[in-house]
Amino acid sequence: TTELAVLGGAVAAAGGVAAAVGLAGGRLLVVCLQEVVAELREEVVATAIALDAGTIESAGSGDVVSRVTRDVEAVTEAASDVLPQFVRAGFTIALTLVGLAVLDPWLVLAALTAAPLQAGTTRWFVRRSRPLYERLRREESSRGQAIIEAVDGAATVQAHGRQQQHLEVIAERSLRA
């Protein structure tokens, strides 16, 4: 029982250390990446402001606003959420493979047999999901355009009593998005 208690304590301590190191590393990564993301936001806004009026009109202000907010938000999420999880998962996989190799090299080969299936399903998912994400971006842009038009022309909308029509357009585009 003493040996079991010592081993249990060692496992608990290792888990605590791993959690602390993971938290510290995640925070450090986020701090470093937030500076890069802040610069990216500034560049995107500066580029959007520098666009000529014709380009913005042809794309629609909703598209510009959607890209400035949603695309930068996606990069921010990837930098602060996805990247740390990806690094953590990669480290866990590598550590698991090393552990399996220590136990028996054949276990590593058995574990790696799943890799082609995982790579194939990942490629399948990315190919199938890309058009859906592109459609989502278009629908969000359309919704943004409807909101911007309603807010920008609020006085005119109210003067002609067309609030309900604009609300219906916004609701319909929101549901589509």
Side-chain angles (χ1 to χ4, degrees):
T1 56
T2 303
E3 186 178 342
L4 183 60
V6 169
L7 288 174
V11 168
V17 169
V21 168
L23 179 64
R27 286 187 177 190
L28 180 63
L29 183 63
V30 167
V31 167
C32 293
L33 292 175
Q34 287 305 321
E35 290 179 23
V36 173
V37 169
E39 290 176 16
L40 175 65
R41 284 181 193 271
E42 291 173 8
E43 285 181 34
V44 167
V45 170
T47 302
I49 290 172
L51 290 174
D52 64 287
T55 302
I56 292 175
E57 288 298 320
S58 66
S61 55
D63 188 47
V64 175
V65 170
S66 174
R67 290 189 181 279
V68 168
T69 56
R70 189 71 183 113
D71 290 0
V72 173
E73 184 181 297
V75 171
T76 303
E77 181 182 325
S80 60
D81 295 340
V82 176
L83 186 60
Q85 289 178 9
F86 183 78
V87 170
R88 193 176 306 124
F91 182 72
T92 301
I93 290 169
L95 194 59
T96 301
L97 291 175
V98 169
L100 289 173
V102 167
L103 292 173
D104 187 353
W106 290 105
L107 290 174
V108 174
L109 290 175
L112 290 177
T113 59
L117 177 64
Q118 292 168 339
T121 55
T122 300
R123 288 186 64 212
W124 173 83
F125 173 78
V126 169
R127 266 188 271 133
R128 300 254 330 212
S129 65
R130 178 170 288 145
L132 296 175
Y133 284 116
E134 289 172 355
R135 180 175 165 217
L136 173 63
R137 293 280 198 258
R138 284 192 306 274
E139 298 296 345
E140 287 176 342
S141 173
S142 175
R143 176 186 58 196
Q145 183 70 34
I147 292 170
I148 289 169
E149 288 171 356
V151 171
D152 197 35
T156 306
V157 170
Q158 287 177 341
H160 293 288
R162 300 197 34 100
Q163 299 94 321
Q164 190 58 40
Q165 290 89 339
H166 278 274
L167 288 173
E168 288 170 5
V169 168
I170 292 170
E172 185 265 327
R173 290 183 184 181
S174 295
L175 283 174
R176 261 194 316 193

